[in-house]
Amino acid sequence: MRISEAAARSGLKVDTIRYYEAQRLVPNVVRGSDGHRRFSPENVDWLTLLYWLRETGMPMKVMQRFAALYAQGDATILDRKSILLDHSRLLAKRRDDLDRCDEILARKLEIYEEYLQ
Amino acid sequence: MRISEAAARSGLKVDTIRYYEAQRLVPNVVRGSDGHRRFSPENVDWLTLLYWLRETGMPMKVMQRFAALYAQGDATILDRKSILLDHSRLLAKRRDDLDRCDEILARKLEIYEEYLQ
DNA sequence: TCTTGACCTAAAGTTACTCAAGGCCGGTAT
DNA sequence: ATACCGGCCTTGAGTAACTTTAGGTCAAGA
């Protein structure tokens, strides 16, 4: 499929996909005879994963390492697993941050209410 | 107190505090006779709030609006309240994103396990 | 007295996009 | 046939939010 559809399906913007490809984050993207990118379902799966990893704060450098491993095939699955497990610990930390921030907001809003009534 | 202590207490870096002040995000910071910044407990409270708002993804522009209102005093509490309520909706969205990402990671890890055993 | 450490400013550098300029190409309306 | 449109292409500049660097002041300790 073409880039606009890959964007719609993955969540990433067209520009971001091109940028990610230039940064070697998206292996195996082939071109049609017109020079346009053609995305396979596997490509789109990968882009979708990148979208969620970025959305939840994985740094570019880690994504690059992850993509390099992915490009090397199944022999790197153990390494990729450990990257995803690390990221899942980061998700837990972020959830804690959200809880902490919620508390702080609740306290502030309480103080505002005192002023308001 | 001095800037390094304000940084330690708020969570922000020294450099970020200076940058935020330059961006008018931190009202009422006074200087000592040596030209150094002096932070009151109220300043530090404010910085801590900024730290958590940033940490949970509030854009700079919103922080600027929020800080401008804060600088104008109690008459703006209703507006500030609505900014914090908006942000708290954003927190909910982010929690959903984390859950969605967790699911995706779990599926990937499951696939990896199949390869690994 | 000399140096160390914490502070200061202004300006350049970095990250991760994002947008703009300019161009190619296939399809459709005139 | 030709004019125009939308979607793709590349390169390069622009942006946001810091972060680092360069260069300087000043008080206190060895």
Short mmCIF file of all heavy atoms in Angstrom, two decimals, chain C residues 1-5, chain D residues 26-30:
data_model
loop_
_atom_site.label_atom_id
_atom_site.label_comp_id
_atom_site.label_asym_id
_atom_site.label_seq_id
_atom_site.Cartn_x
_atom_site.Cartn_y
_atom_site.Cartn_z
P DT C 1 47.64 38.87 47.62
OP1 DT C 1 47.87 39.83 46.59
OP2 DT C 1 46.32 38.47 48.02
"O5'" DT C 1 48.56 37.70 47.33
"C5'" DT C 1 49.48 36.77 47.46
"C4'" DT C 1 49.04 35.44 46.93
"O4'" DT C 1 48.19 34.78 47.93
"C3'" DT C 1 48.23 35.46 45.64
"O3'" DT C 1 48.58 34.29 44.90
"C2'" DT C 1 46.80 35.37 46.12
"C1'" DT C 1 46.98 34.40 47.29
N1 DT C 1 45.93 34.40 48.36
C2 DT C 1 45.58 33.19 48.92
O2 DT C 1 46.09 32.14 48.58
N3 DT C 1 44.61 33.25 49.89
C4 DT C 1 43.98 34.39 50.38
O4 DT C 1 43.14 34.30 51.26
C5 DT C 1 44.39 35.63 49.75
C7 DT C 1 43.76 36.92 50.19
C6 DT C 1 45.32 35.58 48.79
P DC C 2 48.68 34.29 43.33
OP1 DC C 2 50.01 34.66 42.87
OP2 DC C 2 47.51 35.03 42.83
"O5'" DC C 2 48.47 32.72 43.05
"C5'" DC C 2 48.66 31.78 44.12
"C4'" DC C 2 47.44 30.88 44.24
"O4'" DC C 2 46.51 31.36 45.23
"C3'" DC C 2 46.63 30.71 42.94
"O3'" DC C 2 46.54 29.33 42.66
"C2'" DC C 2 45.28 31.35 43.25
"C1'" DC C 2 45.19 31.11 44.77
N1 DC C 2 44.26 31.98 45.53
C2 DC C 2 43.44 31.41 46.54
O2 DC C 2 43.53 30.20 46.77
N3 DC C 2 42.59 32.21 47.23
C4 DC C 2 42.53 33.52 46.95
N4 DC C 2 41.67 34.26 47.67
C5 DC C 2 43.32 34.11 45.93
C6 DC C 2 44.17 33.33 45.25
P DT C 3 46.14 28.80 41.20
OP1 DT C 3 47.25 27.99 40.64
OP2 DT C 3 45.54 29.90 40.41
"O5'" DT C 3 45.00 27.78 41.64
"C5'" DT C 3 45.08 27.14 42.93
"C4'" DT C 3 43.68 26.89 43.46
"O4'" DT C 3 43.11 28.07 44.09
"C3'" DT C 3 42.69 26.44 42.39
"O3'" DT C 3 42.02 25.29 42.88
"C2'" DT C 3 41.74 27.63 42.25
"C1'" DT C 3 41.74 28.14 43.70
N1 DT C 3 41.27 29.54 43.93
C2 DT C 3 40.39 29.75 44.98
O2 DT C 3 39.99 28.88 45.70
N3 DT C 3 40.01 31.06 45.14
C4 DT C 3 40.41 32.14 44.38
O4 DT C 3 39.99 33.28 44.65
C5 DT C 3 41.31 31.85 43.29
C7 DT C 3 41.77 32.96 42.39
C6 DT C 3 41.70 30.57 43.12
P DT C 4 41.58 24.08 41.94
OP1 DT C 4 42.57 22.98 42.02
OP2 DT C 4 41.23 24.66 40.61
"O5'" DT C 4 40.25 23.60 42.66
"C5'" DT C 4 40.10 23.77 44.09
"C4'" DT C 4 38.71 24.25 44.41
"O4'" DT C 4 38.62 25.70 44.40
"C3'" DT C 4 37.62 23.76 43.44
"O3'" DT C 4 36.75 22.92 44.17
"C2'" DT C 4 36.96 25.03 42.92
"C1'" DT C 4 37.30 26.05 44.00
N1 DT C 4 37.35 27.49 43.60
C2 DT C 4 36.71 28.42 44.40
O2 DT C 4 36.11 28.13 45.41
N3 DT C 4 36.82 29.72 43.97
C4 DT C 4 37.48 30.17 42.84
O4 DT C 4 37.51 31.37 42.58
C5 DT C 4 38.12 29.15 42.05
C7 DT C 4 38.84 29.54 40.80
C6 DT C 4 38.02 27.87 42.46
P DG C 5 35.63 22.05 43.44
OP1 DG C 5 35.59 20.73 44.15
OP2 DG C 5 35.89 22.12 41.99
"O5'" DG C 5 34.29 22.83 43.78
"C5'" DG C 5 34.09 23.41 45.07
"C4'" DG C 5 32.88 24.30 45.02
"O4'" DG C 5 33.26 25.64 44.59
"C3'" DG C 5 31.81 23.82 44.03
"O3'" DG C 5 30.53 23.90 44.66
"C2'" DG C 5 31.93 24.79 42.85
"C1'" DG C 5 32.42 26.07 43.53
N9 DG C 5 33.21 26.94 42.67
C8 DG C 5 34.05 26.58 41.64
N7 DG C 5 34.62 27.59 41.04
C5 DG C 5 34.12 28.70 41.72
C6 DG C 5 34.37 30.08 41.52
O6 DG C 5 35.12 30.62 40.69
N1 DG C 5 33.67 30.87 42.42
C2 DG C 5 32.82 30.39 43.39
N2 DG C 5 32.22 31.29 44.17
N3 DG C 5 32.57 29.10 43.59
C4 DG C 5 33.25 28.31 42.72
P DC D 26 31.85 41.36 41.03
OP1 DC D 26 30.87 42.44 41.27
OP2 DC D 26 33.28 41.69 40.81
"O5'" DC D 26 31.76 40.31 42.22
"C5'" DC D 26 30.51 39.62 42.45
"C4'" DC D 26 30.74 38.49 43.43
"O4'" DC D 26 31.30 37.34 42.76
"C3'" DC D 26 31.72 38.81 44.59
"O3'" DC D 26 31.08 38.52 45.82
"C2'" DC D 26 32.89 37.89 44.33
"C1'" DC D 26 32.21 36.73 43.62
N1 DC D 26 33.09 35.85 42.80
C2 DC D 26 32.99 34.46 42.94
O2 DC D 26 32.19 33.97 43.73
N3 DC D 26 33.81 33.67 42.18
C4 DC D 26 34.66 34.23 41.33
N4 DC D 26 35.43 33.41 40.60
C5 DC D 26 34.77 35.64 41.18
C6 DC D 26 33.98 36.41 41.93
P DA D 27 31.67 39.24 47.18
OP1 DA D 27 30.79 40.39 47.50
OP2 DA D 27 33.13 39.44 47.05
"O5'" DA D 27 31.41 38.09 48.26
"C5'" DA D 27 30.30 37.21 48.13
"C4'" DA D 27 30.65 35.86 48.73
"O4'" DA D 27 31.44 35.10 47.79
"C3'" DA D 27 31.47 35.93 50.03
"O3'" DA D 27 30.95 34.96 50.93
"C2'" DA D 27 32.89 35.62 49.58
"C1'" DA D 27 32.64 34.66 48.41
N9 DA D 27 33.66 34.65 47.36
C8 DA D 27 34.26 35.74 46.77
N7 DA D 27 35.12 35.42 45.84
C5 DA D 27 35.08 34.04 45.81
C6 DA D 27 35.78 33.09 45.03
N6 DA D 27 36.67 33.42 44.09
N1 DA D 27 35.53 31.80 45.26
C2 DA D 27 34.63 31.46 46.20
N3 DA D 27 33.92 32.26 47.00
C4 DA D 27 34.20 33.54 46.74
P DA D 28 31.60 34.83 52.41
OP1 DA D 28 30.47 34.62 53.35
OP2 DA D 28 32.57 35.92 52.63
"O5'" DA D 28 32.39 33.45 52.28
"C5'" DA D 28 31.70 32.28 51.80
"C4'" DA D 28 32.68 31.13 51.76
"O4'" DA D 28 33.59 31.31 50.64
"C3'" DA D 28 33.57 31.03 53.01
"O3'" DA D 28 33.76 29.66 53.32
"C2'" DA D 28 34.86 31.71 52.58
"C1'" DA D 28 34.93 31.29 51.11
N9 DA D 28 35.71 32.16 50.25
C8 DA D 28 35.77 33.53 50.27
N7 DA D 28 36.57 34.04 49.35
C5 DA D 28 37.07 32.93 48.69
C6 DA D 28 37.97 32.79 47.62
N6 DA D 28 38.54 33.83 47.00
N1 DA D 28 38.25 31.55 47.21
C2 DA D 28 37.67 30.50 47.82
N3 DA D 28 36.81 30.51 48.84
C4 DA D 28 36.55 31.76 49.23
P DG D 29 34.50 29.27 54.74
OP1 DG D 29 33.51 28.51 55.54
OP2 DG D 29 35.15 30.48 55.30
"O5'" DG D 29 35.63 28.26 54.27
"C5'" DG D 29 35.29 27.09 53.52
"C4'" DG D 29 36.53 26.58 52.81
"O4'" DG D 29 37.04 27.61 51.92
"C3'" DG D 29 37.68 26.21 53.75
"O3'" DG D 29 38.29 25.02 53.27
"C2'" DG D 29 38.63 27.42 53.64
"C1'" DG D 29 38.42 27.82 52.19
N9 DG D 29 38.72 29.23 51.88
C8 DG D 29 38.22 30.35 52.51
N7 DG D 29 38.66 31.47 52.00
C5 DG D 29 39.52 31.06 50.99
C6 DG D 29 40.30 31.84 50.08
O6 DG D 29 40.38 33.07 49.99
N1 DG D 29 41.02 31.02 49.21
C2 DG D 29 40.99 29.65 49.21
N2 DG D 29 41.75 29.04 48.29
N3 DG D 29 40.28 28.92 50.04
C4 DG D 29 39.56 29.69 50.90
P DA D 30 39.64 24.45 53.96
OP1 DA D 30 39.50 22.98 54.08
OP2 DA D 30 39.95 25.28 55.15
"O5'" DA D 30 40.72 24.74 52.83
"C5'" DA D 30 40.94 23.82 51.76
"C4'" DA D 30 42.39 23.91 51.30
"O4'" DA D 30 42.68 25.29 50.97
"C3'" DA D 30 43.42 23.52 52.37
"O3'" DA D 30 44.54 22.91 51.75
"C2'" DA D 30 43.81 24.84 52.99
"C1'" DA D 30 43.69 25.81 51.81
N9 DA D 30 43.27 27.17 52.20
C8 DA D 30 42.40 27.53 53.19
N7 DA D 30 42.22 28.83 53.29
C5 DA D 30 43.03 29.35 52.29
C6 DA D 30 43.29 30.66 51.86
N6 DA D 30 42.72 31.74 52.42
N1 DA D 30 44.13 30.84 50.83
C2 DA D 30 44.69 29.76 50.26
N3 DA D 30 44.52 28.47 50.57
C4 DA D 30 43.68 28.34 51.61
#
